[in-house]
Amino acid sequence: MSNLLNAIISKQTVNPKAQDKIPAFTFDSDGKTKPAEYKGKLLPSRIIGSPVEYVKDLKKDVISIGRAAKGKANDHELGRINDLAMKMGSFALATYLFIKNPLKLNKAMEFAGFTTFFTSMALWPKLAIQLPLKLRTGVDIHQKYIDSQGRKKMLFQDPQYDLTDLYSREDLDMLGNKLKVNKNLPDRDNFIKQRAKKTAVQGNTLWMMTAGFATPLMSALGCNLLEKPIGKAIESYDIISSTLKLNRGVTTGPISNLKQTLADNSLRKFLQKNADRVMDESFISELSSKLGKNSNSAVIIDAIKDEISSLKRNVKIDEQFIKEVLSGVINEDTLNKLNDGQKTLLNQAMEEGSSSRIADILIDSMQITKKHDRIKLNKNIVNLLDNAKKSKSVPVLRDITDKINIINNNIKEFAAEKNLLDKYISAKIGDKSGTYIANQWSRVGNKFVKLLKLSDKELKLISEGNMDILTNKLSSLASSDVEYDNVIKELLDLINDYEAKTGSTFVSKIKQKSNEICTKASNNMNSNGLEKLAKRISSEVQKGTLENSININAQERITGAQSSFYRLIQSLDLFKRIKSGKLERQLAEILKAEGREIDKEQIKKLTDACQNVILNATTTDYVEKLRSSAFNLSEFEYKTVMRVLFDNGLEDDVTSSLQQSLTNCNIGIDRAKEMLEGYRKYKDEVMNKIANWQNNITPELSRRTVSGVTNSANAVERNSLAGKSIKNYIQDLSKQVYNSHKWLKIFGISMAVLTAVTLIAGLAIGRKSKMEKQVEEESKKNG
Amino acid sequence: MVYSLGVKGQNNIKNIQNISFGKKEERSKSKCENKDAILAEEHAKHPIGTGLKINTEKLFNAFTKYPKKGMEGSKNANFYEFLTMGSVPYIIGSLMMMAVFNFANRYFDTPSSVNASKLGKKMALGVVAYGILKNISKKFIELPVKYKYGIDVNLPYKKIINELPEENNKDNLVTHEYHKVFESVDFPRWDLLYDNKYYGDKRNGYFEKIAEKYGYKEGELDYSDQKMKSKIKETVTKTKLFSTLSSYLWAATGVGIALQKPWESMVFNPKQRITNLKNHIEIAKIAKEQGRKIAKYKFFPQDFFNKLINSCKEFVNNSNKATKYAGRGLIGAAVLMTLLGNFFTLNNFNKDKGSKTQASTSLIDESKEKVVC
């Protein structure tokens, strides 16, 4: 009692303001103390708290921190500060990881992880324990109340601190009915309160026992669910924002101004620091990289190098120069001994910069007569003079600072514009994860794997390289018309989306913008005397210019993925033809036309070869004309397989399927026609550029080329046209799908088991004990 | 029993039984003798051992006795037990976090497994670093306070609990809990500090010691307990605030350091380490025969320490500028909060300018007599 009183008085002394509002006790006029009237009440239960309340509580917590820093906070405030500090610490960590992770998706997932963790921590007890218990027993184990001091607490936090008096008459009766407490029980209220407290103790214990399992599991599964929509949102955001920025052009906001000022200052310091450095090759490379860094282009850096290398110092040969360079060869007074005629001649020679004539005059004055000696000396003098002239013509940085500044000014404006274009291109087809093309690549592959209805076991085998399963699956898919049509249709939908986003509008915009940016930069550079640089950025001869490489690279990226998508369709088509017997007929016709015997074994070999090629062949295999041991085809076999796969003259099932789908597909007739054309074009291109027997690449094979036919595709083009082999494409994706299935299975099942166990354990909560039953029975007997 | 509140010689309050709450002979007559006892001596002599003993017992109970009582809905279950059980989700949650990032790896194919285990290893280490730094960092604030003012916010005491008989337990009713004297800033267990043998067996022994640390000379204060209680509470509150705030920042820093690249090559698996050691010995033999020298094998502690140093370096000096500054920002915030905590807790801002003999400045009108019933 005395301690308690001391505490109260001491508290009142330390914190008069807080106590002024709601005093814990009052003084009577005669000096006696009385406890103040209790003003606490129950708060309505909510699964998700109101944001307004959250902000209000946060404000209170911040004030509490201020009070605690002065040493005046109470236990409740310190407890709340602990929760706030935990969230702040986690937020700080999420911010650090957000900055640390280079990828936008990973950045976003750091905060998703933070959010799902705290959400899981709050939601698990509510959904798995509190809500079922409330529905079954009427007891809200997390019932909150607000005390006289305005502090929000849990009603059943401390079972030894009985606050059940806060229940209203109606609430208590309702609770009793829900708990099935005999209405005639004497001291029923107390009985109900004890049962409610007991239920809360059990529920809270169950919460403590399960939260450790549940929170990380729920959080991880939540992140897994959020990853796709967040990825999609980032993908769309990148495309929209990069398009808007490109259309708006280079802006000079305060941030970009600041950045530029910092960059300029850094360059100025660099130029000052290295003012006396000789422009040798390594220093030119260093300076060029620095100047061209923002352009993100090796072509530009190379061009700057050329531009700087071409800058020379004008070195004039005079008497001083001769004295310095030839000090070890001629006497000191040789020049003084020259007669007037010789002097005039020397001046002329120096004016013309002719080392040989200077040497002759000097040799004459030295009166050397032997022819052999004269020739030897002449050679020596010429060498010395020329080398000295050459070395002295290499400038130091100070000599060319003005030119460097001109280069920098031209490059920085161009680089800013080019970067906008780069980002626009990269958002859709950038060679990094998170871009549209990367995501669509996974979407198409995942859809294909899903449509093949592969089990986890099969996925694992495929991911380990077992292609027989894939062959069998494709084969069985081809035997069902409905499933086959469905797969084609689903894939076409995705390819259609791909073509719509990376089609002619996108490509022509890249061409238009690259032309606009490069031509402007090129003209500016030309007018500033930077011809070499200008020529490398844009010129009438497109080959080798930056403008050209921007367009070509973009086109190749688009074609690369497109070919791989078409190759999936093509594989389905091939298996359909095999299944329907069409391929056999086509092969027989080819054999007949070639005047060969229609041999079943030969047809079987060719059929297997077609399957093998469509599933496994890589660009290199095409280049080697499928002669490696994996294929081992003769010229005739090769040509036949290529005809079957890529000759549009042979009608195939995909084109007929596409034609059929003109009437009932989701993409519309016009679009389907376009796609049909696109598919045909793809086959033509492959046929002409890489599948043709004449397109040989390796020196050994080039001997077999028919003279006059040149290779029509370069290495990049060949790669993009061949596309990724089905084996590699599906093997990679099977790995990903299998891993994510496995992970989801392990932790999804764990979560399900945990939930089930918790719910079942929850059923045991709130049951009457033997003694309670006995009390009720006795009361019944007593009427 | 009637107590009168007042200050000797300072006002006209009439002492009914005088204010001596703690007169020994009267206290010893009390029927309800308090058996709770501070573990001051053990704690002072073996702070780590005592803490370990207490925490082990608490942890054991948290996993065994308390859940049993809780699930039975025992009427003796209390808030202490609920709070102690809080360590269960903390430990299981940490293990689960490690499992989420590591358990499924074994089913993946080799490259995916390698990548996943690199991440998993770092995440698991992060969980451990979080726990260690969160607890250790509190000492950065608590120890200077203990050194300067003699206030040990973790001073433990053993509380004796007399439980109510229950259906399944009618005899074994006396049990105990471990608390801290200052675990509540509203109601510290002052009573345990009076007349404590460890503090000189004097009524105000503890408070006089603290008063000396606060700069009062011996015997300068008439009522050192009344004077010092508010000071102690103030310091304890500030210590708790800043140790809490800084501990989560240090914990975040710990995770940040644990997520650096050098850990990816750290081998934790003992079997793998033994295999590596055997391989190293073989290679060393061959090298010796060939007269070559090879790098020394790094045993676990040295290897761990090296990786730790490299990770710390990478954390504050990352090659990426933004990451470098983010790392410095995070550790800077933790250091700053610790320094701020030391500044606030070690400075006595509210120096009492009033009389040194007055108990405290009070709102109570001292001209009137007060009686508490």
Side-chain angles (χ1 to χ4, degrees):
Chain A
M1 174 78 182
S2 61
N3 292 316
L4 188 70
L5 196 61
N6 272 338
I8 293 169
I9 292 169
S10 153
K11 185 175 176 168
Q12 186 160 1
T13 312
V14 173
N15 182 19
K17 272 189 189 167
Q19 295 301 312
D20 281 349
K21 283 183 192 167
I22 312 156
F25 64 93
T26 54
F27 292 111
D28 275 355
S29 53
D30 59 356
K32 290 183 179 174
T33 54
K34 279 185 175 179
E37 195 187 335
Y38 195 70
K39 289 178 182 168
K41 59 177 182 189
L42 296 182
L43 291 169
S45 298
R46 287 196 192 102
I47 291 292
I48 294 166
S50 114
V52 180
E53 284 297 306
Y54 182 79
V55 173
K56 275 186 191 169
D57 288 346
L58 187 69
K59 196 181 154 194
K60 274 188 197 171
D61 292 343
V62 173
I63 294 170
S64 297
I65 292 179
R67 281 169 39 74
K70 292 177 192 162
K72 291 177 181 175
N74 55 39
D75 286 337
H76 177 72
E77 287 172 312
L78 285 173
R80 287 192 60 93
I81 289 170
N82 181 61
D83 293 348
L84 183 68
M86 180 161 76
K87 283 174 191 156
M88 275 165 55
S90 306
F91 189 79
L93 179 62
T95 310
Y96 169 73
L97 296 175
F98 175 85
I99 296 168
K100 186 175 184 280
N101 273 315
L103 292 176
K104 273 190 193 153
L105 177 63
N106 291 359
K107 281 180 190 289
M109 287 314 291
E110 293 305 341
F111 281 101
F114 165 79
T115 314
T116 53
F117 188 84
F118 284 102
T119 310
S120 309
M121 212 156 98
L123 275 186
W124 167 254
K126 283 179 194 284
L127 296 178
I129 303 166
Q130 181 191 1
L131 200 63
L133 271 182
K134 195 178 176 189
L135 290 174
R136 198 167 59 77
T137 65
V139 181
D140 181 354
I141 62 164
H142 288 166
Q143 174 69 54
K144 279 188 177 169
Y145 74 98
I146 185 163
D147 71 3
S148 300
Q149 273 74 30
R151 297 175 295 204
K152 286 174 195 161
K153 294 178 182 174
M154 302 251 262
L155 187 72
F156 296 111
Q157 187 169 271
D158 183 356
Q160 305 301 322
Y161 185 46
D162 195 346
L163 284 156
T164 43
D165 283 349
L166 289 177
Y167 278 122
S168 67
R169 180 75 262 151
E170 296 80 39
D171 285 346
L172 204 60
D173 284 342
M174 244 165 63
L175 197 59
N177 296 342
K178 196 97 185 173
L179 283 166
K180 292 174 188 157
V181 177
N182 189 342
K183 284 186 179 169
N184 301 320
L185 192 70
D187 198 15
R188 184 174 189 256
D189 286 359
N190 199 27
F191 195 82
I192 297 167
K193 287 175 184 175
Q194 291 307 321
R195 288 283 308 281
K197 266 167 62 175
K198 184 178 168 182
T199 307
V201 167
Q202 290 174 313
N204 281 336
T205 309
L206 187 62
W207 169 28
M208 285 298 111
M209 293 300 109
T210 54
F213 295 103
T215 310
L217 280 176
M218 258 178 104
S219 173
L221 291 168
C223 283
N224 203 291
L225 275 179
L226 286 174
E227 201 169 350
K228 264 190 187 168
I230 290 178
K232 179 83 192 153
I234 290 173
E235 176 195 308
S236 307
Y237 169 81
D238 279 351
I239 291 176
I240 294 169
S241 84
S242 63
T243 311
L244 288 175
K245 280 180 187 167
L246 181 70
N247 291 341
R248 200 169 52 213
V250 176
T251 51
T252 48
I255 292 175
S256 49
N257 276 342
L258 179 70
K259 264 189 181 174
Q260 198 47 59
T261 314
L262 289 173
D264 286 347
N265 283 343
S266 145
L267 181 72
R268 196 178 309 127
K269 275 183 194 164
F270 181 82
L271 294 181
Q272 276 169 5
K273 197 179 158 195
N274 296 292
D276 294 321
R277 272 187 77 173
V278 177
M279 299 303 297
D280 55 22
E281 209 166 306
S282 74
F283 186 56
I284 290 175
S285 292
E286 189 187 340
L287 185 61
S288 307
S289 305
K290 201 171 171 65
L291 290 169
K293 193 182 161 198
N294 288 339
S295 70
N296 289 326
S297 160
V299 175
I300 295 291
I301 292 174
D302 211 37
I304 296 173
K305 223 160 142 183
D306 284 354
E307 197 68 65
I308 298 175
S309 303
S310 69
L311 300 171
K312 295 267 187 268
R313 196 194 244 173
N314 190 17
V315 182
K316 218 176 166 189
I317 301 177
D318 54 17
E319 286 188 13
Q320 188 58 34
F321 183 90
I322 293 171
K323 272 183 191 167
E324 261 176 41
V325 176
L326 303 178
S327 59
V329 183
I330 57 171
N331 293 329
E332 267 183 35
D333 56 351
T334 308
L335 285 174
N336 301 333
K337 284 180 183 171
L338 293 176
N339 58 33
D340 288 348
Q342 281 172 327
K343 263 186 187 170
T344 318
L345 284 173
L346 184 68
N347 284 338
Q348 267 179 9
M350 286 194 301
E351 195 65 35
E352 288 164 17
S354 167
S355 317
S356 170
R357 280 182 59 200
I358 294 170
D360 283 342
I361 296 162
L362 292 173
I363 293 165
D364 283 347
S365 76
M366 287 158 80
Q367 293 174 347
I368 295 169
T369 49
K370 274 188 183 172
K371 197 178 176 186
H372 175 71
D373 290 346
R374 283 182 69 93
I375 292 170
K376 203 177 164 188
L377 192 59
N378 183 292
K379 208 173 173 185
N380 195 11
I381 291 174
V382 168
N383 265 343
L384 284 170
L385 286 175
D386 284 351
N387 285 341
K389 196 176 164 186
K390 201 174 167 189
S391 72
K392 288 205 173 187
S393 71
V394 177
V396 290
L397 183 56
R398 191 191 301 281
D399 301 336
I400 56 164
T401 309
D402 289 347
K403 195 78 176 178
I404 299 293
N405 281 327
I406 293 170
I407 294 175
N408 182 45
N409 288 337
N410 278 274
I411 291 289
K412 76 183 178 195
E413 194 187 332
F414 168 65
E417 286 180 339
K418 182 186 165 280
N419 284 342
L420 290 180
L421 179 62
D422 284 348
K423 278 186 183 152
Y424 172 74
I425 298 171
S426 170
K428 275 189 184 171
I429 56 166
D431 190 7
K432 58 181 186 183
S433 88
T435 59
Y436 170 75
I437 201 169
N439 291 345
Q440 192 70 355
W441 178 265
S442 303
R443 284 190 282 259
V444 171
N446 280 329
K447 180 68 96 181
F448 190 67
V449 169
K450 197 177 165 189
L451 290 168
L452 288 179
K453 291 178 187 154
L454 295 162
S455 68
D456 277 357
K457 206 175 167 187
E458 288 167 334
L459 279 170
K460 179 141 178 67
L461 287 170
I462 293 176
S463 73
E464 286 165 359
N466 186 336
M467 283 296 115
D468 289 347
I469 291 175
L470 187 64
T471 315
N472 294 341
K473 276 280 167 184
L474 286 168
S475 208
S476 70
L477 183 71
S479 45
S480 158
D481 284 347
V482 182
E483 275 186 44
Y484 176 83
D485 281 348
N486 184 39
V487 174
I488 293 270
K489 221 192 239 175
E490 296 257 12
L491 287 179
L492 284 183
D493 269 353
L494 289 169
I495 299 172
N496 175 47
D497 185 72
Y498 176 77
E499 289 184 355
K501 287 216 168 65
T502 60
S504 54
T505 323
F506 178 61
V507 174
S508 58
K509 176 132 188 168
I510 295 173
K511 277 189 178 163
Q512 179 231 325
K513 277 284 171 187
S514 65
N515 182 265
E516 192 183 306
I517 293 168
C518 292
T519 314
K520 186 180 146 199
S522 181
N523 290 341
N524 284 344
M525 287 173 186
N526 262 327
S527 61
N528 284 317
L530 305 170
E531 289 86 6
K532 287 191 172 61
L533 202 47
K535 214 169 147 189
R536 295 292 293 277
I537 287 174
S538 175
S539 82
E540 279 175 17
V541 184
Q542 284 285 309
K543 209 175 173 188
T545 61
L546 182 65
E547 181 188 341
N548 196 35
S549 77
I550 291 173
N551 295 331
I552 285 180
N553 289 344
Q555 189 55 60
E556 293 309 333
R557 282 283 297 166
I558 295 168
T559 316
Q562 198 178 30
S563 304
S564 300
F565 297 157
Y566 278 140
R567 199 164 160 174
L568 288 177
I569 301 264
Q570 213 184 353
S571 68
L572 288 167
D573 162 61
L574 181 76
F575 280 90
K576 183 76 179 166
R577 276 194 276 169
I578 295 170
K579 211 72 196 171
S580 64
K582 202 172 189 173
L583 188 74
E584 198 180 330
R585 287 198 297 278
Q586 287 172 337
L587 286 170
E589 274 170 31
I590 293 171
L591 289 172
K592 200 177 160 189
E594 291 284 329
R596 289 176 183 250
E597 199 183 327
I598 302 167
D599 179 2
K600 278 210 166 179
E601 240 175 64
Q602 179 69 5
I603 288 179
K604 171 89 177 52
K605 192 186 172 194
L606 286 168
T607 308
D608 289 347
C610 287
Q611 272 187 30
N612 195 3
V613 169
I614 202 76
L615 291 177
N616 300 318
T618 61
T619 320
T620 322
D621 295 323
Y622 282 115
V623 169
E624 292 176 358
K625 302 297 154 201
L626 303 170
R627 296 188 324 144
S628 64
S629 58
F631 303 95
N632 198 16
L633 299 187
S634 67
E635 183 177 342
F636 168 72
E637 285 163 346
Y638 173 81
K639 282 179 176 171
T640 310
V641 169
M642 291 298 115
R643 268 196 75 189
V644 169
L645 293 177
F646 299 109
D647 189 351
N648 277 318
L650 291 172
E651 190 205 350
D652 56 38
D653 283 299
V654 179
T655 46
S656 57
S657 162
L658 270 169
Q659 273 161 342
Q660 273 172 21
S661 68
L662 291 178
T663 46
N664 61 358
C665 72
N666 306 328
I667 54 179
I669 295 173
D670 292 341
R671 185 67 199 111
K673 273 184 183 168
E674 270 175 33
M675 286 187 77
L676 183 60
E677 273 314 300
Y679 179 63
R680 282 175 172 280
K681 202 179 152 202
Y682 149 77
K683 284 174 54 170
D684 277 344
E685 290 258 296
V686 178
M687 193 66 184
N688 293 331
K689 293 187 173 173
I690 54 173
N692 199 315
W693 184 252
Q694 277 78 28
N695 306 132
N696 293 326
I697 308 301
T698 57
E700 188 252 334
L701 287 165
S702 65
R703 284 198 294 276
R704 295 170 59 182
T705 52
V706 177
S707 61
V709 178
T710 53
N711 301 318
S712 45
N714 61 29
V716 182
E717 252 183 302
R718 278 200 304 278
N719 265 329
S720 28
L721 273 173
K724 203 163 184 177
S725 75
I726 307 280
K727 182 190 167 192
N728 291 342
Y729 190 8
I730 299 308
Q731 196 177 347
D732 286 354
L733 276 158
S734 298
K735 267 180 209 168
Q736 284 174 24
V737 176
Y738 172 76
N739 289 352
S740 87
H741 276 189
K742 194 76 201 173
W743 187 91
L744 213 60
K745 218 173 179 178
I746 292 171
F747 294 107
I749 290 174
S750 306
M751 189 70 216
V753 169
L754 178 69
T755 311
V757 169
T758 309
L759 290 174
I760 293 167
L763 290 176
I765 290 175
R767 287 184 183 277
K768 290 172 194 168
S769 67
K770 272 184 199 169
M771 199 183 274
E772 284 166 343
K773 278 181 190 165
Q774 216 175 326
V775 171
E776 278 201 291
E777 273 167 24
E778 274 172 22
S779 78
K780 265 185 196 170
K781 277 181 201 165
N782 298 335
Chain B
M1 199 149 62
V2 178
Y3 291 122
S4 164
L5 296 175
V7 180
K8 189 181 164 189
Q10 289 294 310
N11 52 37
N12 56 358
I13 291 177
K14 197 169 85 186
N15 296 335
I16 297 175
Q17 283 191 8
N18 211 332
I19 62 158
S20 53
F21 307 120
K23 272 200 169 179
K24 262 188 182 175
E25 52 282 9
E26 277 180 34
R27 277 166 17 93
S28 60
K29 283 173 198 164
S30 167
K31 281 180 184 175
C32 187
E33 197 177 351
N34 191 354
K35 291 175 184 170
D36 299 354
I38 296 186
L39 305 170
E41 202 169 340
E42 296 100 300
H43 187 59
K45 278 185 187 167
H46 312 288
I48 296 171
T50 313
L52 212 62
K53 188 188 138 203
I54 292 173
N55 287 330
T56 313
E57 192 179 323
K58 280 176 85 171
L59 200 62
F60 183 74
N61 287 338
F63 275 91
T64 53
K65 189 175 161 190
Y66 300 154
K68 184 174 177 281
K69 271 171 87 177
M71 286 313 290
E72 284 168 355
S74 162
K75 54 186 159 190
N76 288 311
N78 60 21
F79 189 44
Y80 168 84
E81 291 174 4
F82 175 71
L83 281 183
T84 308
M85 277 194 288
S87 55
V88 175
Y90 196 83
I91 291 168
I92 293 180
S94 300
L95 294 173
M96 275 309 288
M97 283 285 270
M98 294 185 195
V100 165
F101 287 101
N102 286 289
F103 185 69
N105 296 356
R106 71 184 71 174
Y107 300 106
F108 299 164
D109 60 289
T110 319
S112 312
S113 168
V114 168
N115 286 332
S117 79
K118 271 183 192 169
L119 177 70
K121 212 187 293 178
K122 291 195 283 187
M123 294 306 282
L125 207 61
V127 172
V128 177
Y130 187 94
I132 291 176
L133 269 178
K134 183 177 169 289
N135 289 306
I136 286 183
S137 63
K138 288 189 172 183
K139 302 284 172 212
F140 302 158
I141 311 261
E142 290 168 357
L143 286 178
V145 168
K146 191 178 169 186
Y147 180 74
K148 184 165 184 194
Y149 292 127
I151 302 167
D152 182 356
V153 290
N154 295 315
L155 186 62
Y157 73 92
K158 194 174 183 179
K159 186 177 182 180
I160 305 300
I161 307 287
N162 294 293
E163 294 193 328
L164 296 167
E166 289 186 278
E167 279 175 60
N168 54 358
N169 181 18
K170 293 193 172 68
D171 305 318
N172 198 12
L173 298 175
V174 181
T175 178
H176 65 264
E177 295 170 353
Y178 289 108
H179 289 262
K180 288 172 183 171
V181 173
F182 300 113
E183 77 188 2
S184 162
V185 291
D186 293 337
F187 306 109
R189 287 297 301 270
W190 301 124
D191 57 317
L192 300 174
L193 297 166
Y194 286 114
D195 297 312
N196 193 299
K197 273 186 188 169
Y198 184 71
Y199 301 114
D201 209 10
K202 281 198 287 183
R203 182 180 176 277
N204 284 345
Y206 177 80
F207 299 101
E208 279 167 13
K209 276 189 176 182
I210 303 290
E212 264 181 52
K213 294 261 187 185
Y214 271 93
Y216 294 103
K217 284 170 196 156
E218 203 181 336
E220 191 181 352
L221 295 174
D222 286 348
Y223 301 99
S224 55
D225 59 337
Q226 295 297 303
K227 191 79 192 169
M228 294 322 297
K229 276 178 187 172
S230 62
K231 281 280 158 229
I232 295 171
K233 277 174 77 162
E234 189 185 312
T235 306
V236 168
T237 308
K238 288 195 276 188
T239 308
K240 285 191 172 194
L241 169 77
F242 286 104
S243 60
T244 304
L245 291 181
S246 61
S247 69
Y248 286 107
L249 288 171
W250 279 112
T253 306
V255 180
I257 291 170
L259 294 181
Q260 302 303 315
K261 242 190 173 158
W263 295 114
E264 287 176 5
S265 57
M266 181 74 200
V267 179
F268 286 98
N269 185 349
K271 265 189 192 172
Q272 187 60 45
R273 286 202 78 89
I274 292 170
T275 316
N276 290 355
L277 179 61
K278 280 179 186 167
N279 290 342
H280 182 86
I281 294 169
E282 285 297 315
I283 294 167
K285 260 187 202 170
I286 298 166
K288 205 179 172 186
E289 282 165 15
Q290 293 172 347
R292 284 188 295 117
K293 273 189 180 178
I294 58 161
K296 266 191 175 180
Y297 180 81
K298 281 179 192 154
F299 286 94
F300 187 85
Q302 196 193 356
D303 196 12
F304 188 89
F305 186 72
N306 276 356
K307 299 269 175 356
L308 179 65
I309 297 290
N310 289 339
S311 298
C312 289
K313 278 182 188 166
E314 194 179 289
F315 184 68
V316 293
N317 230 350
N318 200 291
S319 52
N320 179 294
K321 248 188 191 177
T323 312
K324 178 171 83 178
Y325 289 118
R328 287 179 184 187
L330 189 52
I331 201 167
V335 172
L336 192 71
M337 191 57 83
T338 305
L339 293 176
L340 211 63
N342 284 322
F343 176 74
F344 271 88
T345 49
L346 300 180
N347 274 307
N348 184 11
F349 293 112
N350 302 321
K351 276 188 183 150
D352 197 351
K353 287 165 191 163
S355 162
K356 284 178 180 171
T357 50
Q358 192 174 339
S360 59
T361 47
S362 173
L363 282 184
I364 303 167
D365 183 353
E366 286 160 357
S367 61
K368 288 181 183 173
E369 183 181 295
K370 311 286 184 304
V371 178
V372 182
C373 307

